Amino acid sequence: MLERINTPNDIKKFSLAELEDLSKEIRSFLIEQISKTGGHLASNLGVVELTIALHYVFDSPTDKIIWDVGHQSYVHKILTGRRNLFDRLRKFGGLSGFPKRNESVHDIFETGHSSTSISAALGIAKSRDLNNEKYSVISVIGDGALTGGMAFEALNDAGRSKTNLIVILNHNEMSISKNVGSLSLYLSKLRTDPNYFKLKRDLENILNLVPPIGKSIHKSIEKIKDSIKQLFVPGMFFEEMGFTYLGPIDGHDIDSLIDVLKRAKKMEGPIFIHVITKKGKGYVFAEENPDKFHSAAPFNIITGEFKKKNYDTYSDVFGKTLTDLATKNDKIVAITAAMPDGTGLSYFAKKFPNRFYDVGIAEQHAATFAAGMAINGYKPYFAVYSTFLQRAFDQVIHDICIQNLPVVLAIDRAGLVGEDGETHQGVFDVSFLRMIPNMTIMAPKDANEFVEMIKLSSMMQGPCAIRYPKGNAGDYDAKRKVSFKLGKAEVIQEGSNVAIFALGRMVNVAINAIDKLQKNSVNPYLVNLRFAKPLDVETILEISKKVDYIFTVEDNVMVGGVGSAILELLSDNKIYKKFYRFGFPDKFIEHGDVDSLFKKYRLDSDSLAEKIIELVIS
Ligand SMILES: Cc1ncc(C[n+]2csc(CCOP(=O)(O)OP(=O)(O)O)c2C)c(N)n1
Ligand SMILES: CC(=O)[C@@H](O)[C@H](O)COP(=O)(O)O
Ligand SMILES: [Mg+2]
C-alpha cells in the first residue's frame, strides 16, 4: 500500500480495513528503516493510527498540523511523499528527523525543542482569523511536552481566546523516561478510570434535562451543574481553562479517532482531544523499553539488541563522578529536566533517590529550583543538554548569577550533536554564558580533565558551567590526578611564531594537526585553554607577545565565542597580531554525522592544518 501513497489525498478513499492494513505496513517500514539508520522509533510507533486519522480527516497543508518536538513526525513524512528518503534519515544531506519547512509544504512549523506547538498553533489560528480564512489548526503534543511551561502559557492564552483550535494530547505516560508531575498523575487518573468517561456523559445528559425555568433559577442551576461537574467530570481542568474536552480516546483505534476528529473539525472554539497511546506500539522490544527505543541507535530487529557499547561517554563519566563525590558530600543534589538517562544522572538517581530531582521538561524551572536549593546551602548540579539550556537563559542570569549562587551547570551535548541538526547543536553556550558576570566556564579536553573539573566545581562558591561533548570519552582513569588550577590553561607544546589556543574537544583536533604543521615547518605553541571564563590572561598574553600569528579553535559559533574573548583581551592590552578564529559560522548547523559536519565547516585536523599553513606560509 505504501507504494501507492505519495500525498495525503491518496489515503482519503481507503476503507477502514485498508487504513488498518496501512498502519501495519507503516509499522513494519519504520522498524525496518530505523533498525538501520537509528532514530526516534518508539514515539513514531505510538502515533501511527493518530497520524493516519489526522491526514484522513483533515486536508493538509490547507489544514495545519503542528507536531510538538517533531520527533514523532516520521509517519507524517511517510504520508506526505517522503517515504523514499528514509534510507538517509538524519544523515548528512538526507531527510531531517524533524519537521522542516524547506522539506515539504506539509511541515507547517519547525520544532525540535518541546512545548512550542500550542503557541505556534494559536498564532497561526489568530492570524487566520485576521485574514478571514477558514481552515483547521491542530497541535499534537505529548504528555511529556505538556510538562513544559510554554505549553501551560499557551493553554492559558488559547482557552480564553475562543479561537477555533484543536489541541491533541498524545498520552502514553512517557516522556523519554517515565513522565513525571502532578498533571501526569491527573491525566493517568482520567486514562485508567473508565467510569469517569461514562459518568461524564451520564451527568451531562441528566443535567441537560433540567429545564431552564426563569432567569435567576436558571443561573442557580447552572452554578449547581458546574459544582457537580467539578467533582466528577473528566477533563474538567481543561474545560475550566476554556477548552471543550473530548476523550479519552483509544489512540490505536482508527475508527474512533476518525470519529472524534470529524466531530472536532465541526466544533467551534478551542478543543482538547485526549488520545491514549502506547509508546513503541507494535514492536515488543520498544513497548517493553520505550526509553531505549526513544532515540535509538541502529539495532537488530530480531533480538532488539543494540551494538554493545564498550566505552564510557562523557555523560557516563559525569554521572559516575558526581555519584562518587556525593557519597562524601551530602549537600550535592542532582537535577534534570526529563533527561535522567541522556545526562548520565541515572547512576546518581539509583544511589541517591532522595537527592535526585526530575522536574519534567522544564529547564527554566530546573535552573531556578537549583538556585532555591543553593540558597539553603545545597550544592545543586543541573545536568542539561547545551541546546536545552537556551530555554533557561534568563533564569541563569536572574536567579543564579546575580545572587552568585553555587549552582553547577553540567552542560552535556556541547558542540555538535550531529543527527538531530539545527535545533539541537550545542554551539551557542560559550557565547551566551560568557557575557554573564560571576560565571565560570570550563571545557575538558578529555575524561581525566573532566573528572578534575567536576571535583573543582564541587568546591566553587559561585556559579559555574562545565561543557562537554556527546559520545565516547576515551580511556580514562578516574583516580589519576591531573594538575589543575582554577583559571589556568595548560601549555601542551612550546613553539615559535604561531600560537594555537584551543578549547575542550577541539584541543585534540589541534593536537592531531601538529604533525602536518611541523612537516610544513610551522611549529606552533599549543594551549589547552580549559577555561573560557575566566581566561588565563597571563599565559595568553605572554605567548601572544612572542608570536606573529594567533589561531583560536572552538566548537562554538565564532560570534561571541572564546576566540572573540581572546581577541577582546588582546585588543584591551594593545597587542595586535595576525588573528584567525576557527569555529562555527554565523548560521545554523544542519544535521548529519559529526565527522562530515566537522569536515564541511573545516574544523577537522587536516582542514585546520591546511588553513594555518596557507595563512602562515603564503
Ligand atoms: C526543551 C526540551 N527539553 C528536552 C527535550 C528532550 N526531549 C525530546 S522528546 C522528549 C520527551 C517527549 O515526551 P512526549 O512529548 O510525551 O512525547 P513521546 O516521545 O512520549 O511521544 C524530551 C524530554 C526537548 N526536545 N526539548
Ligand atoms: C527529540 C529530542 O530532543 C531527544 O530525543 C534527543 O534527540 C535525544 O538526543 P540524544 O540521543 O543525544 O540523547
Ligand atoms: Mg509521552
Side-chain angles (χ1 to χ4, degrees):
M1 287 178 123
L2 273 180
E3 300 285 301
R4 286 159 43 202
I5 298 167
N6 294 308
T7 79
N9 283 337
D10 297 332
I11 65 166
K12 299 233 189 260
K13 294 210 169 72
F14 280 15
S15 66
L16 180 61
E18 283 174 314
L19 292 176
E20 280 164 355
D21 284 347
L22 176 64
S23 68
K24 287 187 195 130
E25 224 177 285
I26 288 178
R27 279 211 170 81
S28 304
F29 178 83
L30 285 171
I31 296 166
E32 177 84 24
Q33 289 294 333
I34 298 171
S35 73
K36 291 183 274 187
T37 57
H40 288 94
L41 179 63
S43 310
N44 281 285
L45 289 175
V47 295
V48 174
E49 289 83 3
L50 175 60
T51 313
I52 291 174
L54 276 166
H55 279 295
Y56 183 84
V57 172
F58 294 98
D59 294 315
S60 175
T62 305
D63 293 322
K64 319 288 179 208
I65 305 170
I66 298 155
W67 299 96
D68 207 283
V69 184
H71 65 310
Q72 78 295 53
S73 61
Y74 299 2
V75 187
H76 162 82
K77 292 196 182 207
I78 292 169
L79 296 180
T80 52
R82 285 169 274 179
R83 179 189 70 252
N84 290 332
L85 303 176
F86 270 75
D87 282 341
R88 298 209 32 85
L89 176 68
R90 312 198 316 158
K91 306 253 178 272
F92 185 58
L95 187 70
S96 166
F98 295 96
K100 285 279 173 258
R101 294 194 311 148
N102 64 6
E103 227 178 59
S104 167
V105 290
H106 297 279
D107 290 6
I108 303 302
F109 196 80
E110 299 195 4
T111 45
H113 290 198
S114 90
S115 322
T116 61
S117 65
I118 308 176
S119 302
L122 183 61
I124 291 171
K126 282 282 186 201
S127 47
R128 167 203 63 199
D129 296 347
L130 284 178
N131 290 342
N132 286 320
E133 291 170 326
K134 288 243 168 312
Y135 53 79
S136 299
V137 184
I138 306 116
S139 138
V140 185
I141 183 164
D143 53 329
L146 199 65
T147 61
M150 266 191 86
F152 288 92
E153 292 170 30
L155 284 176
N156 188 42
D157 192 16
R160 54 113 227 194
S161 74
K162 308 269 186 286
T163 309
N164 288 353
L165 167 75
I166 300 172
V167 175
I168 299 179
L169 170 66
N170 169 29
H171 182 201
N172 55 20
E173 300 192 302
M174 293 297 293
S175 193
I176 293 179
S177 311
K178 190 97 187 100
N179 201 17
V180 296
S182 48
L183 184 67
S184 168
L185 291 177
Y186 170 72
L187 289 171
S188 295
K189 210 157 113 190
L190 297 186
R191 173 186 171 122
T192 49
D193 191 347
N195 289 332
Y196 262 124
F197 189 42
K198 186 170 171 317
L199 193 64
K200 173 184 172 169
R201 262 183 306 168
D202 292 352
L203 250 170
E204 276 174 350
N205 289 341
I206 293 166
L207 293 173
N208 285 336
L209 287 179
V210 180
I213 336 147
K215 239 184 179 175
S216 64
I217 299 182
H218 180 68
K219 257 194 175 165
S220 317
I221 289 175
E222 282 303 314
K223 268 196 184 155
I224 295 168
K225 273 188 191 182
D226 278 351
S227 339
I228 296 176
K229 270 183 160 183
Q230 195 87 18
L231 282 177
F232 298 111
V233 173
M236 200 54 206
F237 173 75
F238 301 102
E239 296 253 346
E240 288 287 306
M241 288 196 79
F243 282 78
T244 301
Y245 171 92
L246 304 175
I249 307 290
D250 177 351
H252 300 300
D253 175 349
I254 299 188
D255 201 16
S256 304
L257 284 168
I258 290 176
D259 183 54
V260 77
L261 292 177
K262 281 185 173 164
R263 273 169 64 204
K265 191 174 178 178
K266 286 193 216 126
M267 291 165 81
E268 295 290 319
I271 315 289
F272 189 93
I273 309 179
H274 185 176
V275 174
I276 307 289
T277 62
K278 180 148 194 68
K279 194 160 174 171
K281 173 84 177 170
Y283 182 53
V284 64
F285 301 109
E287 284 191 16
E288 281 170 3
N289 290 300
D291 48 347
K292 302 254 170 335
F293 285 89
H294 173 85
S295 165
F299 59 92
N300 179 317
I301 298 183
I302 310 293
T303 63
E305 279 170 4
F306 300 95
K307 211 169 130 203
K308 285 252 173 323
K309 173 171 95 59
N310 53 3
Y311 58 85
D312 270 355
T313 60
Y314 276 92
S315 317
D316 293 324
V317 176
F318 169 69
K320 290 179 184 176
T321 309
L322 190 68
T323 309
D324 241 29
L325 287 175
T327 51
K328 292 162 229 147
N329 180 350
D330 63 4
K331 291 294 177 200
I332 290 180
V333 292
I335 301 163
T336 178
M339 311 293 286
D341 292 332
T343 55
L345 277 186
S346 29
Y347 296 103
F348 189 101
K350 214 181 255 167
K351 185 127 191 227
F352 300 109
N354 295 336
R355 283 150 68 187
F356 166 76
Y357 305 89
D358 180 351
V359 300
I361 309 182
E363 289 80 5
Q364 297 172 301
H365 163 58
T368 305
F369 172 76
M373 294 208 84
I375 286 273
N376 248 351
Y378 280 87
K379 180 79 197 177
Y381 279 73
F382 174 27
V384 56
Y385 288 12
S386 168
T387 187
F388 303 139
L389 180 62
Q390 289 162 200
R391 279 278 162 97
F393 182 51
D394 181 56
Q395 285 73 11
V396 171
I397 297 178
H398 177 269
D399 301 322
I400 297 176
C401 289
I402 290 182
Q403 304 183 80
N404 202 18
L405 293 171
V407 172
V408 182
L409 302 173
I411 308 181
D412 202 322
R413 306 308 195 260
L416 289 188
V417 296
E419 286 76 7
D420 279 341
E422 286 91 337
T423 51
H424 282 63
Q425 313 287 14
V427 294
F428 301 111
D429 58 90
V430 175
S431 311
F432 72 70
L433 292 176
R434 188 172 77 76
M435 62 179 157
I436 309 176
N438 291 337
M439 180 56 88
T440 295
I441 310 169
M442 315 179 219
K445 73 167 189 301
D446 58 28
N448 281 309
E449 206 163 85
F450 185 32
V451 171
E452 286 313 311
M453 288 179 178
I454 302 169
K455 286 183 190 160
L456 176 72
S457 70
S458 72
M459 292 176 281
M460 299 236 347
Q461 301 298 311
C464 77
I466 315 175
R467 74 183 306 265
Y468 45 95
K470 177 172 181 167
N472 192 341
D475 293 333
Y476 76 104
D477 171 2
K479 299 217 165 60
R480 206 185 97 201
K481 192 102 186 78
V482 176
S483 148
F484 189 79
K485 246 175 99 188
L486 175 63
K488 283 310 283 178
E490 177 196 25
V491 180
I492 292 181
Q493 174 177 297
E494 302 275 345
S496 57
N497 208 28
V498 171
I500 302 174
F501 296 109
L503 184 69
R505 148 200 281 186
M506 302 312 284
V507 174
N508 281 311
V509 176
I511 289 175
N512 293 333
I514 295 282
D515 200 34
K516 196 167 189 170
L517 288 172
Q518 287 179 334
K519 283 190 180 127
N520 286 274
S521 311
V522 177
N523 188 28
Y525 285 89
L526 177 55
V527 179
N528 165 20
L529 288 166
R530 286 183 170 164
F531 292 82
K533 186 177 183 177
L535 286 174
D536 181 350
V537 173
E538 196 189 344
T539 305
I540 294 171
L541 291 183
E542 189 190 312
I543 292 178
S544 297
K545 281 178 194 156
K546 293 183 192 162
V547 299
D548 287 329
Y549 293 89
I550 296 171
F551 298 91
T552 58
V553 194
E554 62 193 307
D555 57 347
N556 191 83
V557 287
M558 284 181 277
V559 180
V562 81
S564 301
I566 293 179
L567 200 47
E568 289 159 18
L569 175 72
L570 297 184
S571 165
D572 289 348
N573 286 277
K574 301 193 170 41
I575 296 175
Y576 307 112
K577 297 290 167 86
K578 292 185 182 109
F579 196 100
Y580 189 90
R581 286 170 298 153
F582 289 96
F584 291 108
D586 187 13
K587 73 181 276 281
F588 292 103
I589 311 300
E590 68 272 43
H591 65 272
D593 63 289
V594 168
D595 285 347
S596 302
L597 290 169
F598 270 125
K599 276 207 179 80
K600 169 165 178 183
Y601 290 97
R602 309 202 53 77
L603 284 170
D604 59 307
S605 300
D606 277 348
S607 307
L608 208 71
E610 280 157 24
K611 188 72 191 174
I612 294 175
I613 292 164
E614 177 196 318
L615 292 171
V616 174
I617 306 285
S618 57

